[in-house]
Amino acid sequence: MPLDTSAYSLALLRVDGRRWNELRRIHAQIRTQAAADGSSYLEMGHTKVMCVVNGPSEPGPRRGGVATGGGGGGGGGQSKNAEVAVNIVIAGFSSVDRKRRGRGDKQVFELQSTISQALAASLHTHLFPHSTINISLHVLSQDGSLLAALINAATLACVDAGIPMTDYVAACTAGSTSTYAANDEGADPLLDMNHQEEQELPGLTVATLGDSDRVAVLVCESRVQVSRLEGMLAVGVDGCKQVREILDRVVREKGIKMIQEGTVERGVGLNDMELD
Amino acid sequence: MADRRRINGPVGTTIAPIYDDAPEQKSQVAMATRSRPANVIRKMYLKTGVTPSASGSAYLEIESSGNGGSGLKLSCSVHGPRALPRSTPFSPHIILSTHVKFAPFATKQRRGYLRDPIERDLGTHLEAALRGSIIADRWPKSGVDIIISIVEGEQDREISKAQGIEAWDTMNALSGCITVASAALADAGIDCVDTVAGGVAALVQDAGDDAAPSIVVDPIPAEHEKVLAACCIAYLPTRQEVTNLWFKGDLPASDMDVYTQLVEKGIQASKSANRVLVDCLNETVG
Amino acid sequence: MPREAEPSANEKAFLLKALQDEQIRLDGREFDAYRPLELTFGDEYGVANVSLGKTKILAKASAEVTVPFADRPLDGIFTIATELSPMTAPHFEVNRPTETEVLLSRLLEKTVRRSGALDTESLCLVAGQKCWSVRVDVHVLSHDGNLTDAACFAVVAALRHFRKPDTSMENGVLTVYTPAEREPVPLGWLHSPFCVTWSFFGDEGETALLDADWMEEQVRVASVTISLNRHGEICQIAKLGGVPVEAVALLQCTSVALTKVKEFSTYLDSKLAEDAKRRDKGGFMAELRAENDRVVG
Amino acid sequence: MASSQHVLLSPAELAYLHASLSLTPPIRPDGRSPTQFRPLVAETGILPGTNGSARICFADGTEAIVGVKAEVERTRTRHDFPSLDEGAEGDDDDLEDNQHDVVKGDNDWVEMTVEIPGYRDDDAGTVFLSAMLSEALLADGEFTKRLWINRRFHWKLYLDILLISPPLSYPLPLLSLTTHLALLATRLPRLKSEGDEDPLFDDDWAAAAYLYPRPAAKKGSKKTTSFATPTARPPVTLLVMAVGNNIIFDPSKEELAVADVALAVSVGESSNPSSSTAMDIETEETKGHHNLRILSVRTIDPPSRLTPPGIPNASNSAYGANAAGAKDTEKKKQQQEQARTAESEAVEGVWKAPRGGAKPLVLAALVQKVLEKGGVADEVLDALDGVDLN
Amino acid sequence: MTIAAPEASLNALPRADGSARYSYAGYTVTASVNGPIEAQRRDEHAYEAHVDVIVRPAAGVGGTRERHLESILQSSLAQIILVKNFPRSVIQIVLQIESTPENAYVNTKLVQASLNLPIIPALFQTAVLALLSATVPMKATATSTVVAVVLEDGSKKIVADPSPKDIGEATSLHALAFTSHDELLLSESEGDFTVKEWDDVYERAQEICCQSAPKQAGVDMMLDDDASGPDMRSFLRSALETKVASDLYWK
Amino acid sequence: MSTESPLVVLPGESIDPSLIPTHHKNPLRLGPGLRHIPPSEIVPTVAGQLVVDNRKTSMWIEYNGGRYIPSQNDLIIGQIVRSATDFYYVSLSPYTPNATLPHLAFESATKKTRPQLSPGELVYARVSLANKHMDPELECVSPSTGKADGLGPLKDGMVFDVSLGFARRLLMAKSREEGKVEVLEALGEDGLGFEIAVGRNGKVWVNSESTKTVVLVGRALRETDEKNLGVEAQRKLVKKLVREMR
């Protein structure tokens, strides 16, 4: 494999020059769009996603290919909890080699349902019975850690929309320099994998709730020795905490800015200010 | 997802080749010139009540252009007005849903079973054209389906494809659809303010370099060197109103009058189509 | 529209109470105990009948020669079809994938296909022109929870039991032999992954159960499916949302899962051996003759 | 479909809106002048991964992103198309005025997809939108010719048009403008190889040539797209509607809800006319001004037809389903009588969804308004010139 | 070759209202019956129950062939079920083919144009058994068989339950089903044949399906002891007697 | 198999007229599984055992399995689906149309005092109207006495699904003698205290102070039903379970 661990073991630097426990640059904005109840734009390295949240609102007509979670089933309208409907659009130009995803692409569907289920657990959906929270995500550019980026963007947008939630759901990826074959003990865990690393090395996506160690999402799609799991998970969970800090900063800065601009009067909590 | 509705060939098969006429022959065909005067549309045959099971139906056939090419054959069936399914939200009006589909064998290149964008686009145009004519608020909370199948399209699609401009044929098809649909609606007894009919006019460049571009109604692309612009009109004669206008082409903005002439010619074409329509309806009534 | 019946409030409450206060499950199982797992093979190669308590699954493997995908000329084609019919439960409709179905098929996909359990390169016959297309159809006959683990086991069992017709290449001519001419050959198999699904209960997901039945699945707040092989290689982990669970707990789940997987894999091996013996003694010739008749027909 | 989504306005509100819009001069809810567009924020080159990209955000929050990606594709020669095979040896210049020139475009070389959140990509509305946008783009045979590399290869251009926000107002103008900018910002790598050999490209992005060459970058790009028309630009599609005798541009959702008729007009610009014949028609060569060309016109089915009708007090005694229905139809009958004579004045202050179509004169006026010298189209194009393309 | 006696096990699927697993002549089919259950709007009938038959192939996706089989079975089963008893409801029959006597790699062709006649009896019989196990009220029971007309050294020969080999050589194939009142319920034919031939086929099928089964229980049942093939009716009866016995073990 | 050979009938088989009980005045009463084709033919519609009671001049088919089909005066355990203006929608079995239970069909219920039931709760009710053309109607009070006699909301406890036949046996007046159900008595003798309600629709509700007991009873019932246990086996089972629990 081109990206063999030897290169790493020499300088302990990764292909993009990061150390093993370094996140890529995360840039995020909220309130990117006036029309929506909540919106956000998030970059993790070269992975760029946008999120638009509408609702809680009357459940609209059932749409194809939209994963709905939370609500505890019962078909949206009847349920005691708000249903979280996630719709992901992966732009054709987002990846290097353009591949068109048809409707009903199972992988996208899985992403949708994962995000929906993850947020449904953190949002106080029971406050909005018989209603729907529509989250639509747009992937503009992909360079690894897609699921993580989507979750973070969705979380931010929900905060912006002022939907009460237990805490941030922050996500990132972790990997390991060992291949599943190589059973070397010298293998180091890696934080926040880019596309190339995801291709070459085993890795997982983890999302935690707030700064606890409680894991909301854990997705591993590559073969790896079970002994590697603990290390990777630890690094991932730690990464999530860093990510949470960043997200939190973004929200606070925006909040302060809005107060200074007088968009909202002082002393109003971030969460309840958009509740209208 | 595999197609479960019909029996497809095994994987890795190739489509049978279409043996096309030799280019020179083709060019002769293509050079066939227009026999009709510029402001006369082709003869058409229209009959209502062809599908007993439908609440209204009509069949339209437009005579084939002289040179062996075939004309347009459309059949339209109208189902409804009928109650909307429970799920749909309340509507104070009748909900139109239009489906236009080329039969797989209608054109030289075989059409698929699923509606392609062109066909969907046609559907939207048709919907716009009809919605203007029917009195929608007489039928609240109800819907009507209008299904048109183009049994035979203009044979010369091949050529127009070669010219890289299919839309001209599409326009002819659309005007046919409008006329036949309006007949079927009348047959179904759905209230309309007026009978709408479709007409096409085009700015064409005839063979020979010196020939100046001229405007003709109901054009057959094959009969002209080049079609510069065309427009399809859905027109309500008694109210003198246009319910749908579709212009396509490339005209300098400086001479708007050409555009206006085109529209007028389109209206004229639609009027003449309308006569046929009205006669046909009178027959069924009387 | 036929709808799925949710368990009543009483049932939900009681189930939780039993689990959390008394640490007992309604059927008296231990928390980390599976329902009795049974595997039977048909007369045909590649048909596996798996029952896990009241959950019953039929997996059938089949192969045909076809054209490889243009972008992967050297690989065969390997598909796992999981279509839930109304037999699973009346509210499933043919041709209308539900969330359950999609997630199930994704899990099997990742566990068996993406983990490279089947050597797809060995399915290539003529590069870019001919290859085997191996297909497993998963039929859920009865759904009483934990489809994933049962289905995964059935798929692996079916594939390992399956024999595809033998082939040969002589100066560019490909011949596919009927079972009569040559005994069919097994697939190129690299490792056997199995799914183990944990279900979590309680506000913090503190209670974890293995092999939840349908009732328990309807009450659970989160679940994680861990796929491993007997060599302790993780093939896939999926905790797709749900109530957050302590990271440590997940690690424990994984280690327990590994022991379960080892049990599965030994059970499967023994069953395969058993079946092989059955076919061998005397049955073998009969087998051939039977095949023979089929071929001519 | 996006244009006819439900507007939550009461009949009274609709009636008021219609009345105020048909005043002279019309009073628009947001106080714009009839020809005034909504303020917008535009930026280009936002996605380094693409050949060209643009983002536009209207003041009402509707937002669109367009990305253009180009891939080299082998041209499959067609049998019904000898010109491609035998070809002409001469270099590009004299091919220009060749009878059927070798520099030949094919509409299949452009693939356009429109994504409207919450609508399937084969939804009637979505199809209609993309049909309209691509129709304008391909109307003059010129565009696809820009994608020609040599007789064996061509660029395959993928335009992905994403509406980020929910479709509040009818997104056509937004999408069109964004596409316009994205195309202006699109650059293709410079061709290094010669003739019909497999194309080799200069991987220096700075050297890449604009798909629509600028006057400034003209000389540099001349080589690659010699047949390109210097000041040509991609088309823009404008949404125009009429209420009574007033013509209103860039209508908001509410305004569209009372439109008597709505038109989508696509205009392009080119200095040297695409087709030799167009010359003949052209009476006087317009100097200085944008040299506008009208590419396509489509009536948009206005959502006003689906608005709930008000009931005049006269027949308002009718409550309860059946009675109302009966009464209603009678009323409609009378109304229809009036309608025959004069559509506009039904009962004063009572909203009634428009019936029938538009008078040809109105339609003509609409188009005229767009195209006249110094008309709205000119303004828009000037405005778009303001956007700097990085 | 001799064909083993038909085997059936009822209520094999614990979560369905009724189910049956039936195997005979190399065919194995599992059926589940649910009903009467609430009908979807599209197949809701104001005065009778809608009988919904779904046939699923062992390998590959269901295609036109399965749809055809479904329509055949649907129309004939609806005749013996007392549909009038359950208006606005659905009786849902899912037939899962488990194995067929064909080669494992022939039947994986996704969609075949040809109708698969020989499998009809297996499907039909399984459906009837499953209906009985679900105690869906019926006018009568029914039995079914397939008969082939094979050309053997010049003379036409009528073969019941033909092997794949026979089917390959058959000049015509006929699937028939009779109610317990000896009425012809279903008849599907394929190939060319004379009226005479069909009459013979009819006779043969009838004697397989309608051998006057003993009305009383406890009478010895004769299974494929002679050339006349198995006596389907007594087979059906015996299968049901075992079920009833186990259900009412406490009596 | 029991001693006297039971008469098993299949749908459509004709019944020997000699078996049909006749009486000078009481009319013949047909139970489930039989249908009368005028003038005088009586035909079974399901497979089962023909039972004839000459004293009551009634005959019916004894069978097990299938889906619950409501018939008048059945006692059932239903689950509240939602509340409409003046009645509840109650589900008797999955995928079937909901039954309706009027808000006032409870003991001494008035607009103010009626029990407030939320979706998911359970009620023990009687089928007051069953008609193939209408959705079934329920009541939790006897129309004659106005007393609940045991009917009404079921709080706490657990519901176990059993076969229709077993539910019927449990409901028999002399379930022990006729139904051969020993398990409940056996449990009682082991000093387990619990309440139980049996629904004709194959649902058994069990409640008790101790969670363990409920689980134990549930398992005992289920196994008895699924494994077709005879009297002795039932006693053994109970012994075994009780041992496990302690």
Side-chain angles (χ1 to χ4, degrees), chain E residues 52 76 154 159 207 224 240:
Chain E
D52 185 10
S76 48
V159 184
E207 100 196 8
D224 73 330
L240 263 300

Side-chain angles (χ1 to χ4, degrees), chain B residues 237-250:
Chain B
T238 50
R239 297 168 61 97
Q240 301 177 354
E241 285 175 348
V242 175
T243 60
N244 187 48
L245 160 65
W246 180 20
F247 168 87
K248 190 177 184 314
D250 182 16

Side-chain angles (χ1 to χ4, degrees), chain A residues 203-220:
Chain A
L204 50 76
T205 303
V206 54
T208 60
L209 181 69
D211 49 11
S212 71
D213 286 351
R214 295 176 54 207
V215 177
V217 175
L218 175 59
V219 176
C220 164

Side-chain angles (χ1 to χ4, degrees), chain C residues 103-155:
Chain C
L103 294 184
L104 173 63
S105 78
R106 276 289 294 161
L107 271 171
L108 294 178
E109 176 92 3
K110 288 189 279 187
T111 306
V112 182
R113 200 157 155 274
R114 287 194 51 184
S115 75
L118 173 63
D119 172 13
T120 47
E121 282 165 11
S122 71
L123 297 177
C124 177
L125 295 169
V126 185
Q129 291 173 33
K130 279 190 163 36
C131 72
W132 282 109
S133 158
V134 174
R135 164 184 186 102
V136 192
D137 291 82
V138 178
H139 304 297
V140 179
L141 305 181
S142 165
H143 176 14
D144 188 24
N146 201 3
L147 288 183
T148 320
D149 299 5
C152 179
F153 188 83
V155 168

Side-chain angles (χ1 to χ4, degrees), chain E residues 17 38 138 181 237 249 251, chain F residues 2 8 12-13 45 67 95:
Chain E
D17 290 343
E38 191 171 15
M138 298 200 290
H181 302 141
R237 195 159 219 297
Y249 67 96
K251 269 282 177 190
Chain F
S2 52
V8 174
E13 288 182 351
T45 61
R67 176 165 292 258
Y95 307 115

Side-chain angles (χ1 to χ4, degrees), chain F residues 216-233:
Chain F
L216 194 151
V217 175
R219 287 179 64 189
L221 289 170
R222 272 213 191 128
E223 288 199 24
T224 315
D225 181 27
E226 283 165 16
K227 301 211 172 95
N228 293 348
L229 298 182
V231 175
E232 273 323 300

